[in-house]
Amino acid sequence: MTLTRFVTKSAFRNKRRSVLTVVSITFSLVLLTLMMTVWHSWYIDKGSTEAAQRLITRHRVSLTQSLPEYYREKMRTVPGVVAVAPTQWFGGLYKDEKPENFFAQFGTDPNEIFKSRRISKFPTINWLPGRRIRQAQWSTANWPRSLVWKIGDRIIIKGTIFPVNLELNIRGIFTAPQPTITVYFNLKYLQEAVAYFKGHSGTFNILADSPDDVPKVAAASMRCSAIRPNPRRRKARKHSS
């Protein structure tokens, strides 16, 4: 007896069982397809046209590993790159650990972040240079009542990842196309306050000239970020915490 004959004979030995098996598998596939379609329609944002031009470069090992900030200049020389903005997650506490007081905090270059995200509406602001910079900008969308701030307010964010507390003065408000609760501050502030982090950045936000430029920009950025973790720096971070 051949394998094909054996399978056919076994499948039709109990026709009711075979039919129920086929029906159950078909129903499961139809239900899965329906659920995926609904999920995709409700939760997957198609994004803007410019979203296809943006990339984020990080360390190839992990987000917890930072990149040398001078890689930014290398990325700028790649043909098709319009802007490169460094970003670093701070992850501090405002007031306490209550969910209503949580918001994203990123150190960045205030002169370049909105060049790499041109879809955000942001008024012109003079970002004062200097060593002691206390400046922030935030989105007004969907802010909890406990976080209603105005320009000129002073806030303190307690460091949990980095051994420093941020003292920020609100200098501007930006409006993003999607609801967001985010504070941006000058990355130089963090670099000057934390010695081992000087000259580093967690990620780089990149804006390409067109979607066609994205593959080559991505390839060049990967070459820039393909570095090994620095054991000396990791030891210093562990000691400082």
Side-chain angles (χ1 to χ4, degrees):
M1 178 179 291
T2 63
L3 178 61
T4 303
R5 181 175 175 78
F6 176 76
V7 172
T8 304
K9 188 174 181 180
S10 299
F12 290 98
R13 183 172 57 184
N14 190 327
K15 295 183 179 180
R16 177 179 297 177
R17 182 183 63 187
S18 299
V19 170
L20 290 176
T21 301
V22 172
V23 171
S24 63
I25 294 175
T26 303
F27 177 77
S28 300
L29 292 176
V30 171
L31 181 61
L32 178 62
T33 303
L34 178 62
M35 293 178 64
M36 290 295 293
T37 302
V38 173
W39 176 75
H40 189 278
S41 300
W42 287 3
Y43 297 104
I44 300 298
D45 182 20
K46 296 180 180 179
S48 64
T49 304
E50 192 180 85
Q53 300 171 231
R54 292 198 302 269
L55 305 91
I56 295 180
T57 298
R58 68 168 179 85
H59 196 286
R60 66 176 179 177
V61 175
S62 170
L63 277 170
T64 61
Q65 299 291 333
S66 61
L67 295 168
E69 194 175 15
Y70 68 82
Y71 277 13
R72 175 187 183 185
E73 301 305 321
K74 291 185 176 181
M75 296 175 186
R76 279 175 169 172
T77 62
V78 176
V81 171
V82 176
V84 182
T87 51
Q88 173 61 46
W89 173 264
F90 184 71
L93 292 179
Y94 177 67
K95 294 183 177 180
D96 51 41
E97 297 183 358
K98 293 181 179 179
E100 58 267 26
N101 290 326
F102 172 80
F103 53 89
Q105 310 132 23
F106 289 98
T108 187
D109 180 345
N111 295 314
E112 191 120 4
I113 184 62
F114 290 100
K115 293 179 182 178
S116 64
R117 300 185 61 87
R118 292 182 301 196
I119 55 175
S120 299
K121 298 179 181 179
F122 185 69
T124 301
I125 287 183
N126 294 322
W127 292 88
L128 303 177
R131 191 172 186 278
R132 298 182 62 81
I133 298 175
R134 304 290 188 268
Q135 300 163 341
Q137 53 205 23
W138 79 100
S139 170
T140 58
N142 287 358
W143 280 95
R145 292 184 178 181
S146 60
L147 303 178
V148 178
W149 300 322
K150 61 182 181 298
I151 293 178
D153 285 352
R154 178 175 174 271
I155 63 174
I156 298 177
I157 304 176
K158 182 180 179 181
T160 55
I161 301 175
F162 295 95
V164 63
N165 297 335
L166 297 181
E167 299 178 12
L168 303 174
N169 291 331
I170 305 302
R171 293 296 180 90
I173 304 171
F174 73 90
T175 302
Q178 300 295 332
T180 179
I181 306 177
T182 304
V183 160
Y184 288 111
F185 61 92
N186 199 313
L187 182 58
K188 295 297 181 184
Y189 180 9
L190 180 60
Q191 291 175 336
E192 293 171 0
V194 182
Y196 65 76
F197 194 69
K198 188 174 183 179
H200 287 80
S201 176
T203 59
F204 292 97
N205 285 18
I206 304 174
L207 178 66
D209 189 47
S210 69
D212 295 335
D213 292 320
V214 168
K216 62 181 181 182
V217 171
S221 299
M222 287 177 63
R223 289 193 296 270
C224 289
S225 61
I227 63 175
R228 297 178 180 177
N230 186 335
R232 293 181 61 186
R233 180 175 173 275
R234 185 165 61 246
K235 183 178 179 180
R237 174 177 290 186
K238 183 177 180 181
H239 176 73
S240 63
S241 61

